[in-house]
Amino acid sequence: MTEQHVAVSSPAPLTFPYDAPQSKAELVDISPEIKWLRMPMPYALDHVNIYLLQVGGGWLIIDTGLDSTEAREIWEEVFSGPLRGEKVVGVYCTHYHVDHLGLAGYLTERWRVPLFTTYEEYFTLRGWPDLVTVPWQHAEFFQRAGFPQERLQETLVMFQFFPEISPMPPSFIRLQEGSILPIGKDWRVIIGRGHSPEHALLFSGDRGVLISGDQLLPTITTNVSVSVMNPEDDPLSHWLVSLDRLAEIPDEVLVLPGHGLPFRGARKRVAELQSHHQRRFQVIRDACFDRELSAYELVQVMYPAPLSDFDLQLALGECLAHVRYQIASGGLTLRLDESGVNRYRTV
Ligand SMILES: [Zn+2]
């Protein structure tokens, strides 16, 4: 274990006690009963972290990677290499995003073991529409945002993620706030919201370990977005409540995140994220102080550099999350203009 990774730019630095795995199918020992696999992804965010917990009778896989030939091959290398002779007894998914749940069907079928996840994560994915055309409700969402029609079709590609998901298992074991894992009784579920509907973190007070999924990441800020599926939502209010809860996690707890390196300093990281959102609120209030802006115009203010289609969607969702929070709390007003675009102004 080394302590050389320290984020020196932060006034209250986090510590990173583990180096990243050097090769694809390498399992890093976090402890004798917790292993870490870093699964590559073909995106700007180039990996997702997977953890394996030794529980009664074998190993519980926490998150899976998205479904790709490479990811399946890496899993087979793990099973025939470092886990040779061992059994997998379950698959636990923190939330429904494809990098976390994409291979749940494949792995539960391969080992004939249950999927553990929450009701809202399971059914959000099961209910996701296979978008081929843009339904009028989604077109209206983008029109209200002042989004350029010519970029709509390409940007919606990001919602067509079925090729990256193996067929979902037809049943699952439901996790809820406070659930004790039936096959690993020292681990308790904490529900987080805002990034996804019912995100299941896993905490062991005895071990001082929190498996945080995407709900607490060390270096990147988690996407919190209003989506076309739920245009009147206020996900940032849920997110900030969840952050308040995570602020109770002591700094000495080892956080095992969905992306980036394991770290200590949960409270410090929560404080950084809280001030990040306050800064975002201020940027929006300043921009809308003496003029009415659409969400798309606000995206240009908040993210001045050119954005890829994928990043543009994330940025729009984030912008709307910050806008809707401030409308709900009375900081912004909304006016639907004559061309069908929502315009925001600071109160
Ligand atoms: Zn996610």
Side-chain angles (χ1 to χ4, degrees), residues 41-43 64-68 72 95-104 120-132 138 153-168 195-197 223 227-229 310 313-314:
M41 294 201 294
Y43 306 122
T64 67
L66 51 81
D67 190 3
S68 68
R72 289 187 185 217
H95 65 299
Y96 79 92
H97 293 161
V98 291
D99 44 343
H100 298 263
L101 207 147
L103 276 171
E120 289 180 56
E121 299 296 331
Y122 182 85
F123 282 107
T124 298
L125 187 54
R126 296 278 326 212
W128 200 265
D130 192 1
L131 296 169
V132 180
H138 296 186
Q153 195 66 52
E154 309 131 62
T155 54
L156 282 174
V157 167
M158 74 175 278
F159 297 109
Q160 296 166 356
F161 50 51
F162 284 98
E164 296 171 329
I165 300 175
S166 57
M168 285 279 280
H195 173 63
S196 68
N223 182 260
S227 89
V228 288
M229 295 282 284
F310 184 81
Q313 278 294 338
L314 297 181

Short mmCIF file of all heavy atoms in Angstrom, two decimals, residues 41-43 64-68 72 95-104 120-132 138 153-168 195-197 223 227-229 310 313-314:
data_model
loop_
_atom_site.label_atom_id
_atom_site.label_comp_id
_atom_site.label_asym_id
_atom_site.label_seq_id
_atom_site.Cartn_x
_atom_site.Cartn_y
_atom_site.Cartn_z
N MET A 41 -13.36 0.90 -20.81
CA MET A 41 -14.53 1.30 -21.60
C MET A 41 -14.05 2.14 -22.78
O MET A 41 -13.08 2.89 -22.64
CB MET A 41 -15.50 2.15 -20.75
CG MET A 41 -16.13 1.39 -19.61
SD MET A 41 -17.66 2.21 -19.05
CE MET A 41 -17.04 3.75 -18.38
N PRO A 42 -14.75 2.07 -23.92
CA PRO A 42 -14.30 2.79 -25.12
C PRO A 42 -14.79 4.24 -25.17
O PRO A 42 -15.26 4.71 -26.19
CB PRO A 42 -14.92 1.96 -26.26
CG PRO A 42 -16.18 1.43 -25.66
CD PRO A 42 -15.90 1.21 -24.20
N TYR A 43 -14.71 4.95 -24.06
CA TYR A 43 -15.21 6.33 -24.00
C TYR A 43 -14.15 7.25 -23.40
O TYR A 43 -13.12 6.80 -22.93
CB TYR A 43 -16.47 6.41 -23.12
CG TYR A 43 -17.55 5.47 -23.53
CD1 TYR A 43 -18.04 4.54 -22.65
CD2 TYR A 43 -18.07 5.52 -24.82
CE1 TYR A 43 -19.03 3.65 -23.04
CE2 TYR A 43 -19.06 4.65 -25.21
CZ TYR A 43 -19.53 3.71 -24.32
OH TYR A 43 -20.49 2.85 -24.70
N THR A 64 -20.63 -4.47 -13.09
CA THR A 64 -20.24 -5.51 -14.05
C THR A 64 -19.44 -5.02 -15.26
O THR A 64 -18.83 -5.81 -15.94
CB THR A 64 -21.52 -6.17 -14.63
OG1 THR A 64 -22.22 -5.20 -15.43
CG2 THR A 64 -22.41 -6.70 -13.53
N GLY A 65 -19.50 -3.73 -15.60
CA GLY A 65 -18.99 -3.28 -16.89
C GLY A 65 -20.10 -3.37 -17.93
O GLY A 65 -21.12 -4.05 -17.72
N LEU A 66 -19.92 -2.64 -19.05
CA LEU A 66 -20.92 -2.73 -20.11
C LEU A 66 -20.66 -3.97 -20.96
O LEU A 66 -19.58 -4.57 -20.90
CB LEU A 66 -20.92 -1.46 -20.96
CG LEU A 66 -19.60 -0.93 -21.53
CD1 LEU A 66 -19.21 -1.67 -22.78
CD2 LEU A 66 -19.76 0.56 -21.82
N ASP A 67 -21.68 -4.37 -21.71
CA ASP A 67 -21.55 -5.60 -22.49
C ASP A 67 -20.74 -5.33 -23.75
O ASP A 67 -21.17 -4.56 -24.62
CB ASP A 67 -22.94 -6.14 -22.86
CG ASP A 67 -22.85 -7.55 -23.45
OD1 ASP A 67 -21.73 -8.10 -23.50
OD2 ASP A 67 -23.91 -8.09 -23.83
N SER A 68 -19.58 -5.94 -23.84
CA SER A 68 -18.75 -5.86 -25.04
C SER A 68 -17.93 -7.15 -25.10
O SER A 68 -17.79 -7.85 -24.09
CB SER A 68 -17.81 -4.65 -24.98
OG SER A 68 -16.83 -4.85 -23.97
N ARG A 72 -16.44 -9.22 -21.79
CA ARG A 72 -16.71 -10.65 -21.55
C ARG A 72 -15.40 -11.44 -21.48
O ARG A 72 -15.25 -12.34 -20.64
CB ARG A 72 -17.61 -11.21 -22.65
CG ARG A 72 -19.04 -10.70 -22.57
CD ARG A 72 -19.92 -11.43 -23.58
NE ARG A 72 -21.27 -10.87 -23.61
CZ ARG A 72 -22.37 -11.58 -23.77
NH1 ARG A 72 -22.30 -12.89 -23.91
NH2 ARG A 72 -23.55 -11.01 -23.80
N HIS A 95 -26.46 0.70 -9.68
CA HIS A 95 -27.50 1.45 -10.41
C HIS A 95 -27.55 0.99 -11.85
O HIS A 95 -26.72 0.18 -12.28
CB HIS A 95 -27.31 2.95 -10.25
CG HIS A 95 -26.06 3.52 -10.86
ND1 HIS A 95 -24.79 3.16 -10.48
CD2 HIS A 95 -25.89 4.45 -11.84
CE1 HIS A 95 -23.90 3.85 -11.17
NE2 HIS A 95 -24.54 4.62 -12.02
N TYR A 96 -28.54 1.51 -12.59
CA TYR A 96 -28.89 0.89 -13.87
C TYR A 96 -28.02 1.32 -15.05
O TYR A 96 -28.16 0.78 -16.14
CB TYR A 96 -30.37 1.17 -14.20
CG TYR A 96 -30.65 2.55 -14.76
CD1 TYR A 96 -30.65 2.77 -16.14
CD2 TYR A 96 -30.91 3.62 -13.93
CE1 TYR A 96 -30.90 4.04 -16.65
CE2 TYR A 96 -31.16 4.88 -14.43
CZ TYR A 96 -31.15 5.08 -15.79
OH TYR A 96 -31.38 6.33 -16.30
N HIS A 97 -27.12 2.25 -14.89
CA HIS A 97 -26.33 2.72 -16.04
C HIS A 97 -25.51 1.57 -16.62
O HIS A 97 -25.02 0.70 -15.89
CB HIS A 97 -25.43 3.89 -15.62
CG HIS A 97 -26.23 5.11 -15.27
ND1 HIS A 97 -25.74 6.15 -14.52
CD2 HIS A 97 -27.51 5.46 -15.58
CE1 HIS A 97 -26.67 7.08 -14.38
NE2 HIS A 97 -27.76 6.68 -15.00
N VAL A 98 -25.35 1.62 -17.96
CA VAL A 98 -24.83 0.43 -18.66
C VAL A 98 -23.45 0.02 -18.20
O VAL A 98 -23.12 -1.17 -18.22
CB VAL A 98 -24.82 0.64 -20.19
CG1 VAL A 98 -26.22 0.69 -20.73
CG2 VAL A 98 -24.03 1.87 -20.59
N ASP A 99 -22.61 0.97 -17.79
CA ASP A 99 -21.27 0.58 -17.35
C ASP A 99 -21.33 -0.18 -16.03
O ASP A 99 -20.39 -0.90 -15.69
CB ASP A 99 -20.32 1.79 -17.26
CG ASP A 99 -20.94 3.02 -16.63
OD1 ASP A 99 -22.18 3.09 -16.53
OD2 ASP A 99 -20.18 3.92 -16.23
N HIS A 100 -22.42 -0.06 -15.30
CA HIS A 100 -22.55 -0.73 -14.01
C HIS A 100 -23.40 -2.00 -14.09
O HIS A 100 -23.19 -2.94 -13.33
CB HIS A 100 -23.13 0.24 -12.97
CG HIS A 100 -22.24 1.44 -12.75
ND1 HIS A 100 -21.34 1.52 -11.72
CD2 HIS A 100 -22.08 2.57 -13.48
CE1 HIS A 100 -20.66 2.66 -11.81
NE2 HIS A 100 -21.10 3.30 -12.87
N LEU A 101 -24.36 -2.01 -15.01
CA LEU A 101 -25.31 -3.13 -15.05
C LEU A 101 -25.27 -3.89 -16.38
O LEU A 101 -25.99 -4.86 -16.55
CB LEU A 101 -26.72 -2.57 -14.78
CG LEU A 101 -27.74 -3.50 -14.17
CD1 LEU A 101 -28.70 -2.75 -13.25
CD2 LEU A 101 -28.55 -4.22 -15.22
N GLY A 102 -24.42 -3.46 -17.32
CA GLY A 102 -24.47 -4.00 -18.67
C GLY A 102 -24.30 -5.50 -18.78
O GLY A 102 -24.89 -6.15 -19.64
N LEU A 103 -23.48 -6.08 -17.91
CA LEU A 103 -23.23 -7.52 -18.00
C LEU A 103 -23.92 -8.30 -16.88
O LEU A 103 -23.60 -9.48 -16.66
CB LEU A 103 -21.72 -7.80 -17.99
CG LEU A 103 -21.05 -7.67 -19.37
CD1 LEU A 103 -19.54 -7.73 -19.25
CD2 LEU A 103 -21.54 -8.78 -20.31
N ALA A 104 -24.88 -7.68 -16.21
CA ALA A 104 -25.57 -8.38 -15.11
C ALA A 104 -26.27 -9.63 -15.63
O ALA A 104 -26.20 -10.70 -15.02
CB ALA A 104 -26.57 -7.45 -14.44
N GLU A 120 -36.26 0.57 -8.23
CA GLU A 120 -36.30 1.65 -9.21
C GLU A 120 -35.21 1.52 -10.26
O GLU A 120 -35.40 1.88 -11.42
CB GLU A 120 -36.23 3.01 -8.51
CG GLU A 120 -37.49 3.35 -7.76
CD GLU A 120 -37.40 4.70 -7.06
OE1 GLU A 120 -37.14 5.70 -7.72
OE2 GLU A 120 -37.59 4.73 -5.83
N GLU A 121 -34.05 1.02 -9.88
CA GLU A 121 -32.98 0.85 -10.87
C GLU A 121 -33.36 -0.27 -11.86
O GLU A 121 -33.23 -0.12 -13.07
CB GLU A 121 -31.64 0.52 -10.19
CG GLU A 121 -31.15 1.59 -9.24
CD GLU A 121 -30.81 2.93 -9.89
OE1 GLU A 121 -30.43 2.95 -11.08
OE2 GLU A 121 -30.94 3.96 -9.21
N TYR A 122 -33.87 -1.39 -11.31
CA TYR A 122 -34.24 -2.52 -12.18
C TYR A 122 -35.30 -2.11 -13.18
O TYR A 122 -35.17 -2.33 -14.39
CB TYR A 122 -34.72 -3.68 -11.30
CG TYR A 122 -35.09 -4.94 -12.08
CD1 TYR A 122 -34.11 -5.87 -12.42
CD2 TYR A 122 -36.41 -5.17 -12.46
CE1 TYR A 122 -34.44 -7.02 -13.13
CE2 TYR A 122 -36.75 -6.32 -13.17
CZ TYR A 122 -35.76 -7.25 -13.50
OH TYR A 122 -36.08 -8.38 -14.20
N PHE A 123 -36.35 -1.45 -12.68
CA PHE A 123 -37.47 -1.16 -13.58
C PHE A 123 -37.22 0.08 -14.45
O PHE A 123 -37.84 0.22 -15.50
CB PHE A 123 -38.78 -1.06 -12.81
CG PHE A 123 -39.31 -2.43 -12.47
CD1 PHE A 123 -39.25 -2.92 -11.17
CD2 PHE A 123 -39.80 -3.26 -13.47
CE1 PHE A 123 -39.70 -4.19 -10.88
CE2 PHE A 123 -40.25 -4.54 -13.18
CZ PHE A 123 -40.20 -5.01 -11.88
N THR A 124 -36.34 0.95 -14.05
CA THR A 124 -35.97 2.05 -14.94
C THR A 124 -35.34 1.48 -16.20
O THR A 124 -35.66 1.88 -17.32
CB THR A 124 -35.01 3.03 -14.25
OG1 THR A 124 -35.65 3.59 -13.11
CG2 THR A 124 -34.59 4.16 -15.19
N LEU A 125 -34.45 0.53 -16.01
CA LEU A 125 -33.80 -0.06 -17.19
C LEU A 125 -34.78 -0.91 -17.99
O LEU A 125 -34.83 -0.84 -19.22
CB LEU A 125 -32.59 -0.89 -16.75
CG LEU A 125 -31.73 -1.41 -17.89
CD1 LEU A 125 -31.29 -0.30 -18.82
CD2 LEU A 125 -30.50 -2.12 -17.34
N ARG A 126 -35.60 -1.71 -17.28
CA ARG A 126 -36.57 -2.55 -18.00
C ARG A 126 -37.54 -1.70 -18.80
O ARG A 126 -38.03 -2.12 -19.84
CB ARG A 126 -37.39 -3.42 -17.02
CG ARG A 126 -36.64 -4.43 -16.23
CD ARG A 126 -36.30 -5.72 -16.82
NE ARG A 126 -37.16 -6.37 -17.76
CZ ARG A 126 -37.26 -7.69 -17.84
NH1 ARG A 126 -36.64 -8.45 -16.98
NH2 ARG A 126 -37.96 -8.24 -18.77
N GLY A 127 -37.83 -0.50 -18.32
CA GLY A 127 -38.82 0.34 -18.99
C GLY A 127 -38.23 1.32 -20.00
O GLY A 127 -38.97 2.11 -20.57
N TRP A 128 -36.93 1.26 -20.20
CA TRP A 128 -36.30 2.26 -21.07
C TRP A 128 -36.75 2.07 -22.51
O TRP A 128 -36.69 0.96 -23.04
CB TRP A 128 -34.77 2.13 -20.98
CG TRP A 128 -34.09 3.39 -21.43
CD1 TRP A 128 -33.62 3.65 -22.67
CD2 TRP A 128 -33.84 4.55 -20.64
NE1 TRP A 128 -33.08 4.91 -22.71
CE2 TRP A 128 -33.21 5.50 -21.47
CE3 TRP A 128 -34.11 4.89 -19.32
CZ2 TRP A 128 -32.82 6.76 -21.02
CZ3 TRP A 128 -33.73 6.15 -18.87
CH2 TRP A 128 -33.09 7.06 -19.72
N PRO A 129 -37.22 3.14 -23.17
CA PRO A 129 -37.71 2.96 -24.55
C PRO A 129 -36.58 2.74 -25.53
O PRO A 129 -35.49 3.30 -25.36
CB PRO A 129 -38.42 4.29 -24.84
CG PRO A 129 -37.77 5.27 -23.93
CD PRO A 129 -37.31 4.52 -22.71
N ASP A 130 -36.82 1.93 -26.54
CA ASP A 130 -35.84 1.71 -27.60
C ASP A 130 -36.10 2.78 -28.66
O ASP A 130 -36.89 2.59 -29.57
CB ASP A 130 -36.01 0.30 -28.18
CG ASP A 130 -34.84 -0.07 -29.07
OD1 ASP A 130 -33.91 0.76 -29.19
OD2 ASP A 130 -34.85 -1.17 -29.62
N LEU A 131 -35.44 3.92 -28.52
CA LEU A 131 -35.77 5.09 -29.33
C LEU A 131 -35.23 4.93 -30.75
O LEU A 131 -34.04 4.78 -30.95
CB LEU A 131 -35.18 6.34 -28.69
CG LEU A 131 -35.73 6.70 -27.32
CD1 LEU A 131 -34.87 7.79 -26.69
CD2 LEU A 131 -37.17 7.15 -27.41
N VAL A 132 -36.13 4.95 -31.71
CA VAL A 132 -35.72 4.95 -33.11
C VAL A 132 -36.03 6.32 -33.70
O VAL A 132 -35.22 6.93 -34.37
CB VAL A 132 -36.44 3.83 -33.88
CG1 VAL A 132 -36.01 3.85 -35.35
CG2 VAL A 132 -36.14 2.48 -33.25
N HIS A 138 -40.48 14.12 -26.38
CA HIS A 138 -39.05 14.40 -26.31
C HIS A 138 -38.72 15.61 -27.18
O HIS A 138 -37.90 16.46 -26.79
CB HIS A 138 -38.24 13.19 -26.74
CG HIS A 138 -38.42 12.01 -25.82
ND1 HIS A 138 -37.69 10.85 -25.95
CD2 HIS A 138 -39.22 11.82 -24.75
CE1 HIS A 138 -38.06 10.00 -24.99
NE2 HIS A 138 -38.99 10.57 -24.27
N GLN A 153 -31.12 14.59 -33.57
CA GLN A 153 -31.09 13.17 -33.89
C GLN A 153 -29.77 12.52 -33.43
O GLN A 153 -29.76 11.48 -32.81
CB GLN A 153 -31.30 12.95 -35.38
CG GLN A 153 -31.63 11.51 -35.76
CD GLN A 153 -32.98 11.06 -35.20
OE1 GLN A 153 -34.00 11.70 -35.40
NE2 GLN A 153 -32.99 9.94 -34.47
N GLU A 154 -28.64 13.22 -33.73
CA GLU A 154 -27.35 12.62 -33.33
C GLU A 154 -27.21 12.55 -31.82
O GLU A 154 -26.70 11.57 -31.27
CB GLU A 154 -26.17 13.46 -33.84
CG GLU A 154 -26.18 13.80 -35.30
CD GLU A 154 -25.92 15.29 -35.49
OE1 GLU A 154 -24.83 15.74 -35.11
OE2 GLU A 154 -26.81 15.97 -36.00
N THR A 155 -27.65 13.61 -31.14
CA THR A 155 -27.42 13.61 -29.70
C THR A 155 -28.28 12.55 -29.00
O THR A 155 -27.90 12.04 -27.96
CB THR A 155 -27.73 14.99 -29.09
OG1 THR A 155 -29.04 15.37 -29.47
CG2 THR A 155 -26.75 16.03 -29.56
N LEU A 156 -29.41 12.22 -29.62
CA LEU A 156 -30.27 11.22 -28.97
C LEU A 156 -29.70 9.80 -29.07
O LEU A 156 -30.18 8.90 -28.40
CB LEU A 156 -31.67 11.25 -29.58
CG LEU A 156 -32.54 12.40 -29.08
CD1 LEU A 156 -33.85 12.46 -29.83
CD2 LEU A 156 -32.80 12.27 -27.59
N VAL A 157 -28.65 9.64 -29.85
CA VAL A 157 -28.00 8.33 -29.95
C VAL A 157 -27.58 7.83 -28.57
O VAL A 157 -27.58 6.64 -28.28
CB VAL A 157 -26.79 8.41 -30.91
CG1 VAL A 157 -25.91 7.18 -30.80
CG2 VAL A 157 -27.29 8.58 -32.33
N MET A 158 -27.24 8.77 -27.69
CA MET A 158 -26.77 8.36 -26.37
C MET A 158 -27.84 7.61 -25.57
O MET A 158 -27.53 6.91 -24.62
CB MET A 158 -26.25 9.54 -25.57
CG MET A 158 -27.31 10.46 -25.04
SD MET A 158 -26.61 11.73 -23.98
CE MET A 158 -26.45 10.87 -22.43
N PHE A 159 -29.10 7.77 -25.94
CA PHE A 159 -30.14 7.05 -25.21
C PHE A 159 -30.40 5.66 -25.77
O PHE A 159 -31.20 4.91 -25.24
CB PHE A 159 -31.43 7.88 -25.21
CG PHE A 159 -31.29 9.19 -24.52
CD1 PHE A 159 -31.28 10.38 -25.23
CD2 PHE A 159 -31.13 9.24 -23.15
CE1 PHE A 159 -31.14 11.59 -24.58
CE2 PHE A 159 -30.98 10.45 -22.48
CZ PHE A 159 -30.97 11.63 -23.21
N GLN A 160 -29.73 5.34 -26.89
CA GLN A 160 -29.95 4.03 -27.51
C GLN A 160 -28.83 3.09 -27.09
O GLN A 160 -27.93 2.77 -27.85
CB GLN A 160 -30.00 4.18 -29.03
CG GLN A 160 -31.18 5.02 -29.48
CD GLN A 160 -31.07 5.47 -30.93
OE1 GLN A 160 -30.09 5.22 -31.59
NE2 GLN A 160 -32.10 6.15 -31.41
N PHE A 161 -28.87 2.67 -25.84
CA PHE A 161 -27.74 1.92 -25.32
C PHE A 161 -27.98 0.43 -25.20
O PHE A 161 -27.22 -0.29 -24.57
CB PHE A 161 -27.27 2.51 -23.99
CG PHE A 161 -28.34 2.74 -22.96
CD1 PHE A 161 -29.22 1.75 -22.60
CD2 PHE A 161 -28.42 3.97 -22.32
CE1 PHE A 161 -30.18 1.96 -21.63
CE2 PHE A 161 -29.39 4.19 -21.35
CZ PHE A 161 -30.26 3.20 -21.01
N PHE A 162 -29.03 -0.08 -25.85
CA PHE A 162 -29.33 -1.51 -25.70
C PHE A 162 -28.23 -2.44 -26.18
O PHE A 162 -28.05 -3.52 -25.59
CB PHE A 162 -30.68 -1.85 -26.34
CG PHE A 162 -31.83 -1.39 -25.49
CD1 PHE A 162 -32.47 -0.21 -25.74
CD2 PHE A 162 -32.22 -2.15 -24.39
CE1 PHE A 162 -33.50 0.24 -24.92
CE2 PHE A 162 -33.25 -1.72 -23.57
CZ PHE A 162 -33.89 -0.52 -23.84
N PRO A 163 -27.44 -2.07 -27.23
CA PRO A 163 -26.36 -2.99 -27.62
C PRO A 163 -25.33 -3.21 -26.51
O PRO A 163 -24.57 -4.18 -26.56
CB PRO A 163 -25.71 -2.28 -28.82
CG PRO A 163 -26.75 -1.35 -29.33
CD PRO A 163 -27.55 -0.94 -28.15
N GLU A 164 -25.30 -2.35 -25.51
CA GLU A 164 -24.30 -2.48 -24.45
C GLU A 164 -24.85 -3.16 -23.20
O GLU A 164 -24.23 -3.11 -22.14
CB GLU A 164 -23.75 -1.09 -24.10
CG GLU A 164 -23.00 -0.46 -25.26
CD GLU A 164 -22.64 1.00 -25.02
OE1 GLU A 164 -23.39 1.68 -24.30
OE2 GLU A 164 -21.62 1.44 -25.55
N ILE A 165 -26.02 -3.77 -23.34
CA ILE A 165 -26.64 -4.44 -22.19
C ILE A 165 -27.00 -5.86 -22.56
O ILE A 165 -27.73 -6.10 -23.52
CB ILE A 165 -27.91 -3.71 -21.75
CG1 ILE A 165 -27.58 -2.27 -21.35
CG2 ILE A 165 -28.57 -4.44 -20.59
CD1 ILE A 165 -28.80 -1.48 -21.01
N SER A 166 -26.50 -6.83 -21.80
CA SER A 166 -26.92 -8.22 -22.01
C SER A 166 -28.35 -8.36 -21.49
O SER A 166 -28.77 -7.58 -20.64
CB SER A 166 -25.96 -9.16 -21.30
OG SER A 166 -25.89 -8.86 -19.92
N PRO A 167 -29.11 -9.35 -22.02
CA PRO A 167 -30.52 -9.46 -21.61
C PRO A 167 -30.66 -9.51 -20.08
O PRO A 167 -29.97 -10.28 -19.41
CB PRO A 167 -30.97 -10.78 -22.26
CG PRO A 167 -30.05 -10.93 -23.43
CD PRO A 167 -28.73 -10.35 -22.99
N MET A 168 -31.55 -8.67 -19.57
CA MET A 168 -31.70 -8.57 -18.11
C MET A 168 -32.26 -9.86 -17.52
O MET A 168 -33.13 -10.49 -18.12
CB MET A 168 -32.68 -7.44 -17.80
CG MET A 168 -32.08 -6.07 -17.98
SD MET A 168 -31.08 -5.62 -16.54
CE MET A 168 -32.38 -5.08 -15.41
N HIS A 195 -28.36 11.04 -9.16
CA HIS A 195 -27.64 10.57 -10.35
C HIS A 195 -28.46 9.51 -11.06
O HIS A 195 -28.46 9.41 -12.28
CB HIS A 195 -26.28 10.02 -9.93
CG HIS A 195 -25.51 9.36 -11.04
ND1 HIS A 195 -25.09 10.05 -12.16
CD2 HIS A 195 -25.10 8.08 -11.21
CE1 HIS A 195 -24.45 9.22 -12.97
NE2 HIS A 195 -24.45 8.02 -12.43
N SER A 196 -29.12 8.70 -10.29
CA SER A 196 -30.05 7.68 -10.78
C SER A 196 -31.12 7.55 -9.70
O SER A 196 -30.97 8.10 -8.62
CB SER A 196 -29.31 6.36 -11.04
OG SER A 196 -28.88 5.81 -9.83
N PRO A 197 -32.24 6.85 -10.01
CA PRO A 197 -33.38 6.98 -9.08
C PRO A 197 -33.18 6.38 -7.69
O PRO A 197 -33.66 6.94 -6.71
CB PRO A 197 -34.52 6.27 -9.82
CG PRO A 197 -33.97 5.66 -11.04
CD PRO A 197 -32.58 6.15 -11.26
N ASN A 223 -22.67 13.24 -12.87
CA ASN A 223 -23.73 13.88 -13.65
C ASN A 223 -25.07 13.79 -12.91
O ASN A 223 -25.49 12.70 -12.51
CB ASN A 223 -23.83 13.22 -15.03
CG ASN A 223 -24.87 13.88 -15.89
OD1 ASN A 223 -25.99 13.39 -16.03
ND2 ASN A 223 -24.54 15.01 -16.47
N SER A 227 -33.89 14.59 -17.31
CA SER A 227 -33.88 13.82 -18.56
C SER A 227 -35.19 13.98 -19.31
O SER A 227 -36.21 14.38 -18.73
CB SER A 227 -33.62 12.34 -18.28
OG SER A 227 -34.83 11.66 -18.06
N VAL A 228 -35.15 13.63 -20.60
CA VAL A 228 -36.36 13.67 -21.42
C VAL A 228 -37.46 12.79 -20.84
O VAL A 228 -38.64 13.04 -21.07
CB VAL A 228 -36.09 13.20 -22.86
CG1 VAL A 228 -35.31 14.23 -23.63
CG2 VAL A 228 -35.38 11.87 -22.90
N MET A 229 -37.07 11.75 -20.11
CA MET A 229 -38.05 10.82 -19.57
C MET A 229 -38.87 11.45 -18.45
O MET A 229 -39.96 10.99 -18.13
CB MET A 229 -37.34 9.59 -19.00
CG MET A 229 -36.62 8.76 -20.03
SD MET A 229 -37.75 7.74 -20.95
CE MET A 229 -38.10 6.45 -19.74
N PHE A 310 -22.46 13.90 -27.17
CA PHE A 310 -22.68 13.21 -25.89
C PHE A 310 -22.55 14.19 -24.72
O PHE A 310 -23.42 14.27 -23.86
CB PHE A 310 -21.67 12.07 -25.76
CG PHE A 310 -21.85 11.24 -24.54
CD1 PHE A 310 -22.80 10.23 -24.51
CD2 PHE A 310 -21.07 11.45 -23.41
CE1 PHE A 310 -22.97 9.44 -23.37
CE2 PHE A 310 -21.23 10.68 -22.27
CZ PHE A 310 -22.18 9.67 -22.25
N GLN A 313 -25.42 16.68 -24.40
CA GLN A 313 -26.60 16.14 -23.71
C GLN A 313 -26.41 16.17 -22.20
O GLN A 313 -27.32 16.55 -21.46
CB GLN A 313 -26.86 14.70 -24.16
CG GLN A 313 -27.60 14.59 -25.46
CD GLN A 313 -29.01 15.12 -25.34
OE1 GLN A 313 -29.57 15.20 -24.26
NE2 GLN A 313 -29.58 15.51 -26.46
N LEU A 314 -25.24 15.74 -21.75
CA LEU A 314 -24.98 15.74 -20.31
C LEU A 314 -25.03 17.17 -19.77
O LEU A 314 -25.59 17.42 -18.69
CB LEU A 314 -23.61 15.12 -20.01
CG LEU A 314 -23.42 13.65 -20.37
CD1 LEU A 314 -22.03 13.18 -19.97
CD2 LEU A 314 -24.47 12.78 -19.69
#
